[in-house]
Amino acid sequence: VSRQAFIDWAVENAVPIERLTPNDYSEHSDNNIHNAAFFQSLSGAIQSSSASVVMLSEGFHNCREMMTLHHAVIEYLVDNLGFTVVASESGLPESRVISNFLQNLR
């Protein structure tokens, strides 16, 4: 696929996210109307492919906006699509904190 073909596809299939906070997909969220198309598109892509694994990537590490997006998407996947496992890349220092939390070591 050529670079231009990819760009054309991306422009044609882009779904904007107007603003995002965790729980934006909730019926009770004021932002729901703004991002319904995003979550519907995400759900449709996952369900049509029968995906059992969803990988999230980020353009910037430890950026508030990317973490907020990941938070909302993960909550949506768990609450609405039945996903039960979340794995995330992290650096060694962060992985120790998560490991301790999961083992109740605090």
Side-chain angles (χ1 to χ4, degrees):
V1 174
S2 73
R3 183 175 193 273
Q4 189 58 50
F6 172 76
I7 292 170
D8 293 344
W9 173 87
V11 167
E12 184 177 320
N13 291 281
V15 180
I17 301 171
E18 295 190 26
R19 58 180 182 244
L20 191 62
T21 59
N23 293 313
D24 269 358
Y25 60 82
S26 166
E27 295 175 33
H28 308 293
S29 171
D30 292 336
N31 293 335
N32 185 42
I33 192 165
H34 298 289
N35 293 311
F38 168 72
F39 287 109
Q40 288 170 354
S41 176
L42 176 66
S43 180
I46 292 167
Q47 291 175 334
S48 69
S49 67
S50 301
S52 59
V53 174
V54 175
M55 296 177 65
L56 302 176
S57 182
E58 55 197 69
F60 302 96
H61 288 281
N62 299 322
C63 167
R64 179 181 181 174
E65 293 81 3
M66 291 307 301
M67 295 297 104
T68 300
L69 175 60
H70 281 204
H71 183 166
V73 169
I74 290 167
E75 280 191 348
Y76 182 83
L77 294 172
V78 170
D79 292 348
N80 294 280
L81 300 181
F83 283 81
T84 57
V85 175
V86 174
S88 179
E89 72 167 303
S90 72
L92 187 57
E94 296 90 353
S95 65
R96 173 57 95 189
V97 172
I98 294 169
S99 176
N100 288 344
F101 174 78
L102 292 173
Q103 296 177 51
N104 228 4
L105 298 176
R106 298 180 206 251

